[in-house]
Amino acid sequence: MKIIRESLTRNDKTLPFDYLHFNNMSVVGPNKWFDAGDARFHPDNIVVASREANFTAIIDKQSGKIVWQIGPDYEPSAGANKLPRKVDQISGQHDAHIIPKGLPGEGNLLVFDNQGAAGYPSAKLNTQPGSRVLEIDPIKKEIVWQYTGVNSGGPSYSFYSSYISSARRLPNGNTLIDEGMTGRFFQITNTGEIVWEYVSPYFNTPKADDPLATSSNTVFRAQPVPYEWVPAGTPRSEKPVKVLDIKQFHVPASK
């Protein structure tokens, strides 16, 4: 935090105006750690994440003090799939939360690690960009599961969102991911197989008087809801969608 204070005193116009940028806040919720006697994980305590300063913390609701945290200092970025391992360099993260009770991985911290530019000083990131979804054991502070583009058979940059985005565990053990920068939602198995994918077709309309304005389909967060939330009698159906082979896919010629 001393580095942050000193940075703010510099006459540097490149520094972010929102020097901490807390992008999410949620209650810890019922969990096995508190049930086992660890008061840091009281269900009423608050999980917060600072996108600009690269740390995630739990705040005691009664005292206002930080009782648990990871970052802003981490192990050097390993870029490896060996698990479990100590939490390595997280940068620009979003949607940090404790996986709710009853879901696979309950009690662990799930976070979308954007690997976007952030930190004081700026975090050293990999040459090829690529985001990660990390599941972290908050007691051992170890990564116990992760997802990158490589897990789906692509390069690291095939999954990347330098800002916004989210990841949520589903009851079947899959994970719903919002690659927010590109408006892409997809569901993966714990081995990285993509079993459902959707790209938002909703683009904003740029202001006509702004020559620098661009059209975008960015989506801040995707939140799964159970079927039971849909009113009874609402038409709905499920059907398999055939995966396109982009090597064989061709746009028909216009007449």
Side-chain angles (χ1 to χ4, degrees):
M1 301 307 288
K2 179 182 178 183
I3 295 174
I4 294 175
R5 289 195 299 271
E6 291 177 349
S7 297
L8 291 174
T9 63
R10 300 204 314 261
N11 183 21
D12 187 345
K13 294 182 179 180
T14 64
L15 289 174
F17 67 91
D18 186 359
Y19 74 97
L20 289 180
H21 192 98
F22 289 101
N23 58 43
N24 71 266
M25 179 175 67
S26 62
V27 295
V28 171
N31 64 89
K32 62 183 180 181
W33 313 120
F34 180 74
D35 293 345
D38 194 330
R40 297 176 299 172
F41 298 91
H42 190 289
D44 291 340
N45 287 351
I46 308 297
V47 182
V48 296
S50 171
R51 185 253 178 269
E52 293 296 339
N54 293 346
F55 70 83
T56 298
I58 294 177
I59 299 173
D60 182 274
K61 187 175 181 181
Q62 297 301 317
S63 68
K65 295 182 178 180
I66 292 176
V67 292
W68 178 94
Q69 77 178 81
I70 53 172
D73 299 316
Y74 298 92
E75 297 285 323
S77 182
N81 287 320
K82 184 178 179 180
L83 298 173
R85 69 171 187 271
K86 291 294 183 182
V87 180
D88 53 18
Q89 184 63 62
I90 290 175
S91 187
Q93 78 280 7
H94 282 76
D95 198 28
H97 64 281
I98 298 296
I99 298 175
K101 213 169 187 180
L103 295 180
E106 63 176 62
N108 289 338
L109 181 82
L110 195 66
V111 57
F112 190 107
D113 174 20
N114 297 74
Q115 288 290 295
Y120 303 97
S122 295
K124 184 178 180 180
L125 304 178
N126 294 323
T127 302
Q128 288 190 346
S131 296
R132 310 184 298 176
V133 175
L134 303 178
E135 182 181 336
I136 298 168
D137 180 326
I139 305 300
K140 296 180 179 178
K141 295 187 176 181
E142 291 181 339
I143 299 171
V144 295
W145 177 85
Q146 70 175 15
Y147 172 77
T148 72
V150 175
N151 297 114
S152 291
S156 60
Y157 55 78
S158 63
F159 169 55
Y160 181 54
S161 180
S162 64
Y163 62 101
I164 57 178
S165 310
S166 64
R168 295 287 168 138
R169 183 59 43 79
L170 301 176
N172 63 0
N174 291 351
T175 303
L176 176 67
I177 300 173
D178 167 27
E179 188 180 26
M181 189 168 69
T182 56
R184 175 186 176 222
F185 314 147
F186 61 108
Q187 183 185 152
I188 59 164
T189 66
N190 63 355
T191 60
E193 179 187 0
I194 298 174
V195 294
W196 178 85
E197 188 169 5
Y198 174 84
V199 177
S200 173
Y202 302 103
F203 286 73
N204 68 304
T205 302
K207 294 180 180 179
D209 59 349
D210 185 354
L212 299 179
T214 59
S215 182
S216 169
N217 67 337
T218 57
V219 178
F220 178 73
R221 182 175 297 170
Q223 178 68 49
V225 295
Y227 263 142
E228 292 71 27
W229 283 32
V230 179
T234 301
R236 64 190 184 197
S237 63
E238 295 182 9
K239 59 181 180 180
V241 178
K242 185 178 180 180
V243 178
L244 294 175
D245 181 354
I246 61 173
K247 295 178 182 178
Q248 303 297 325
F249 181 74
H250 301 281
V251 178
S254 58
K255 295 181 179 179

